[in-house]
Amino acid sequence: MIEIFFSYAHEDERLMDEVRRQMIVYEREGYLLKWHDRMIPPGDQWKGTIDDRLRNAKIILLFLSPHFIESRYCYEIEGQEALKRNASGEAVVIPVILRPCAWTASPYGELQAVPTDGKPISTWDNIDIASLEVAESIFEQVKQIES
């Protein structure tokens, strides 16, 4: 099973959840395991838990938005660690464009983003279709890693 780490700003949780829901079938079929910070049990040290999951994930999703870029923790800590792991070949980093933002001017702008052409999910007429496209693209990456 391929572990996937979700890096997102809490202000974007609703849109992140749309993508997460579209991935549930792949998790139920045993292809992947999704993880995000809302899964940290009460009493656990959040930073250590996040760091461990980020270090072990094979795919790291960066849910980009103005809130993500504004968040020091998302942008500088999780994002930079993700880029290091991507550069070393330890993980695949996929930018998921949630809302219009200047993501192409960021270090993440060099990576191929989803949905198609980096069109922000929030701007699609049908968010379900955009989220499904993202989930299917991520699953294609899961299949590549498994083979």
Side-chain angles (χ1 to χ4, degrees):
M1 221 181 319
I2 303 296
E3 185 163 336
I4 300 176
F5 182 91
F6 288 50
S7 178
Y8 68 100
H10 286 167
E11 294 88 346
D12 296 317
E13 190 167 7
R14 184 186 65 78
L15 276 176
M16 179 276 293
D17 276 341
E18 295 298 327
V19 173
R20 181 190 58 76
R21 280 186 200 95
Q22 293 287 7
M23 296 174 68
I24 287 173
V25 69
Y26 304 120
E27 187 170 36
R28 287 190 177 155
E29 295 301 317
Y31 295 108
L32 57 89
L33 175 66
K34 303 181 312 295
W35 193 88
H36 54 85
D37 68 344
R38 296 289 192 205
M39 298 170 75
I40 299 172
D44 276 14
Q45 293 183 351
W46 64 269
K47 186 177 179 335
T49 302
I50 289 172
D51 291 347
D52 288 346
R53 291 296 191 150
L54 183 56
R55 274 193 300 269
N56 293 320
K58 294 294 180 202
I59 297 176
I60 302 167
L61 304 179
L62 303 178
F63 288 89
L64 300 180
S65 73
H67 295 294
F68 182 98
I69 292 170
E70 180 180 46
S71 167
R72 183 185 165 282
Y73 198 83
C74 290
Y75 191 88
E76 294 178 18
I77 311 251
E78 291 178 355
Q80 293 306 309
E81 179 63 23
L83 289 176
K84 283 186 217 168
R85 296 199 62 233
N86 188 70
S88 70
E90 297 173 62
V92 174
V93 175
I94 302 172
V96 179
I97 312 307
L98 293 180
R99 300 179 191 285
C101 60
W103 72 275
T104 58
S106 77
Y108 317 115
E110 296 180 14
L111 301 172
Q112 183 63 39
V114 291
T116 303
D117 298 328
K119 181 181 178 186
I121 291 174
S122 67
T123 66
W124 285 58
D125 291 335
N126 188 321
I127 288 175
D128 290 333
I129 292 172
S131 299
L132 179 59
E133 180 185 304
V134 169
E136 289 172 342
S137 296
I138 293 164
F139 183 59
E140 287 302 314
Q141 189 64 50
V142 167
K143 290 192 299 189
Q144 286 182 13
I145 291 171
E146 286 183 331
S147 58

